[in-house]
Amino acid sequence: MPAKRLSMRKIKEVLRLKWSNGLSDRKIAHCCGIGRPTVKKYVLKAEQAGLSWPLPDDWDDARLEQCLFPEPPKDSVLERGQPDWAAIHQEMKKKSMTLFLLWQEYRERYPQGYQYSWFCSQYRHWLGKQDWVMRQIHRTGEKLFVDYAGQTVSIVDPGSGEIRCAQIFVAVLGASNYTYAEATWTQSLPDWIDSHQRTFAYLGGVPEVVVPDNLLAGVSKAHRYEPDINPTYQDLAVHYNVAIVPARVRRPKDKAKVEVGVQIVERWILAALRHQTFFSLAELNQAIQQLLVNLNQRPFKKLPGSREQLFKTLEYPALKPLPVTPYVYAEWKKVRVHIDYHVEAAGHYYSVPYTLIKQVLDARLTQHTIELFCRGKRVASHVRSKRKGRFTTVNQHMPEAHQKYSEWSPRRFRQWAEKIGVATTQVITTILTSRRHPQQGYRACLGILRLAKAYRPERLEAACERALILGTCRYKSIESILKNHLDSQPLQQTTTQQLPQHHDNIRGPGYYH
């Protein structure tokens, strides 16, 4: 590649030092900070042009440049062939395409054509004159940029007249600018995942990389080098075989495609809908889809074709096929195994092997199942239950006679309670005998007995006496008695406040057995 052309100011300085001061090429090179061959080159050009020092007073930089670097004759340009930069730019979007290969094809058509260095510099010069959104080169089928628009759309409830704002999800393919948009109620994780699924279905394929912003639904913890992807979002990526590469924090150029895509959607779709009133999310999405077709079919201003045309000819053939099986939405959460070898998930308690007591597990919750993993290995699976406060226990998860964890046994809880008082012992016994498996009552027993440390044993004993009279041997009831200092009130006062035992609107304790 030839050396970069010096400025006219520096060329004048080279000529002055050579012809006026009589310095050698080496000294001139040292003074001007350039190479000695460069000095020789420009002095030779000036001599060939018939120049001498000093230059005429009416010679400005433009005239000197024209004298030293005259434009080639037009016939010479036509003979060499001028590349079609717009067509070359479209070719560069194809996978594995390089400028060197395109230059070789150009030289095959024009053997007297320009050299590779000129070819590259002229392409970059042409690219710089295009819209700023086109300066990045995106391979076909490589990247899909996703984000939410800052603008929302109001939807009126036809029954109550309540106004609710819908969020606008936008996705843009990198090479063709093919755009997808839809309205969702929220930016929460379920809507985020569903929007991705509908986007892939709309495209009819899957790109290699998805570039989201650092919103919480997609990225659990933003980081410049190693962001933490939400586990559910990662599940989606594994199912569709795509890579999730979040944009860097406060680096809008990383997602310039979708930034411009959002702006275009706001101008050409949302602005067009500003006078319409919508009464449902489906009605809004139907209107968006109609305008989306027009947006993708609009011709480019400075490039040939349209978004839809580039998508069908370049992008779609490069996309990976959709998976055969549909994606099953699942949420992940961290859970800790309690001493009763159960974990809590959405208010229900599920058993795991007792050897995992006190360990932290990963819970994967779908609509119908819950799976529990320890270091990536599944250790338990249950049918999901909506009964809050209840237990789902697998007998195989229980220890044999609780030998390994014998310290947490019904006998130990009773002995602990006996040190506090008779009423406390009776409450603990009631809890342990009212469950199908005594282990299901360990959590409540432990919580009640620990109240003795916060409120003193004598107060806990008094609270248990009142709980027995009220017939409510529950942790929350006993804690409420202690918090409200009801344990210090006379028993007769508490007794008079009891509900009647027999009434048409009272089911009674037998109803729950």
Side-chain angles (χ1 to χ4, degrees), residues 455-467 470 477-495 497:
Y455 296 98
R456 301 195 310 276
E458 55 271 19
R459 287 195 62 191
L460 177 59
E461 175 67 13
C464 288
E465 289 180 9
R466 281 152 179 78
L470 293 173
S477 299
I478 297 173
E479 184 186 36
S480 178
I481 292 172
L482 292 170
K483 282 185 176 180
N484 295 289
H485 298 280
L486 298 179
D487 55 293
S488 59
Q489 296 182 9
L491 288 173
Q492 292 78 5
Q493 180 180 350
T494 306
T495 305
Q497 296 176 353

Side-chain angles (χ1 to χ4, degrees), residues 34-264:
I34 57 178
R36 187 168 55 84
T38 304
V39 173
K40 184 177 181 180
K41 168 187 171 182
Y42 286 111
V43 171
L44 180 61
K45 275 183 171 291
E47 290 175 348
Q48 291 174 348
L51 298 179
S52 61
W53 194 263
L55 297 175
D57 295 335
D58 58 343
W59 276 47
D60 55 11
D61 289 352
R63 187 170 181 181
L64 177 61
E65 182 177 10
Q66 185 179 4
C67 181
L68 294 178
F69 308 101
E71 294 183 2
K74 292 185 177 180
D75 294 341
S76 175
V77 174
L78 294 175
E79 184 181 349
R80 290 192 171 192
Q82 188 71 13
D84 184 352
W85 299 119
I88 288 174
H89 183 69
Q90 297 303 327
E91 290 292 321
M92 281 296 295
K93 294 181 178 181
K94 296 181 179 179
K95 193 172 183 179
S96 303
M97 184 58 64
T98 64
L99 270 177
F100 185 76
L101 177 59
L102 295 174
W103 171 75
Q104 286 183 318
E105 295 175 353
Y106 159 76
R107 286 301 296 266
E108 289 176 1
R109 292 193 300 270
Y110 303 101
Q112 303 299 324
Y114 295 100
Q115 296 298 320
Y116 177 63
S117 58
W118 180 93
F119 188 86
C120 293
S121 64
Q122 290 301 307
Y123 173 68
R124 287 192 295 267
H125 179 70
W126 175 89
L127 199 60
K129 292 183 178 180
Q130 309 308 304
D131 288 342
W132 67 274
V133 295
M134 298 301 297
R135 291 183 182 174
Q136 298 184 40
I137 296 178
H138 299 283
R139 308 297 184 191
T140 53
E142 181 186 18
K143 290 181 180 180
L144 176 72
F145 298 84
V146 292
D147 200 359
Y148 283 101
Q151 185 177 339
T152 58
V153 180
S154 298
I155 297 179
V156 181
D157 189 314
S160 63
E162 179 185 0
I163 298 177
R164 188 176 178 185
C165 292
Q167 308 294 320
I168 306 300
F169 174 87
V170 180
V172 181
L173 281 170
S176 63
N177 289 324
Y178 196 62
T179 304
Y180 173 76
E182 69 170 22
T184 60
W185 283 123
T186 68
Q187 296 186 15
S188 62
L189 183 60
D191 283 336
W192 175 253
I193 297 298
D194 288 344
S195 292
H196 277 70
Q197 291 183 265
R198 288 187 286 267
T199 300
F200 295 147
Y202 181 82
L203 299 177
V206 184
E208 297 179 10
V209 178
V210 175
V211 182
D213 200 358
N214 285 274
L215 75 166
L216 189 59
V219 181
S220 302
K221 184 178 181 181
H223 192 276
R224 181 173 183 179
Y225 303 106
E226 293 183 352
D228 292 334
I229 307 299
N230 186 293
T232 301
Y233 197 23
Q234 190 65 46
D235 258 1
L236 177 83
V238 171
H239 180 80
Y240 283 96
N241 192 25
V242 300
I244 306 296
V245 183
R248 294 174 296 173
V249 180
R250 293 185 293 276
R251 292 295 187 274
K253 289 184 179 180
D254 287 3
K255 53 186 180 70
K257 280 284 182 179
V258 75
E259 292 281 355
V260 176
V262 165
Q263 188 181 63
I264 291 175

